[in-house]
Amino acid sequence: MQKQSLFKLIMPQIDALNPGDYAECEALFHPDIWLMLDDGERISMGHQVAQLEKAREIPLVRDGFTSDRHNRYRRI
């Protein structure tokens, strides 16, 4: 997925978070979109979100893992 398309999908959910709120990747997508993705696409989206966070292109910082070992993000 192109970066601009990914931004359009996740920024509304990120903008709705208050600074300090936590979310995992699934919560960054509208539920209807997330449910349409197969497992491989969900993994790919998770990697892409992690790359955006690492590059500081989105206002999130990785803050540990969930109990399922998914990245947990904190809104900055």
Side-chain angles (χ1 to χ4, degrees):
M1 173 173 284
Q2 293 182 354
K3 189 187 309 186
Q4 290 302 324
S5 297
L6 183 57
F7 277 126
K8 287 180 183 179
L9 289 176
I10 65 173
M11 285 311 297
Q13 285 70 239
I14 292 173
D15 288 341
L17 296 171
N18 292 316
D21 283 352
Y22 291 95
E24 62 180 273
C25 187
E26 178 179 349
L28 302 178
F29 292 84
H30 188 278
D32 293 339
I33 302 270
W34 191 255
L35 292 173
M36 290 175 39
L37 301 173
D38 64 33
D39 289 343
E41 291 169 322
R42 290 176 182 166
I43 291 169
S44 176
M45 293 298 171
H47 289 151
Q48 291 180 53
V49 168
Q51 290 172 350
L52 291 174
E53 179 274 327
K54 188 175 182 179
R56 298 183 178 187
E57 296 185 55
I58 54 178
L60 298 173
V61 62
R62 193 169 67 85
D63 192 344
F65 297 98
T66 68
S67 61
D68 294 328
R69 302 284 302 153
H70 298 156
N71 285 336
R72 182 175 70 170
Y73 297 100
R74 182 174 42 85
R75 173 74 156 94
I76 53 174

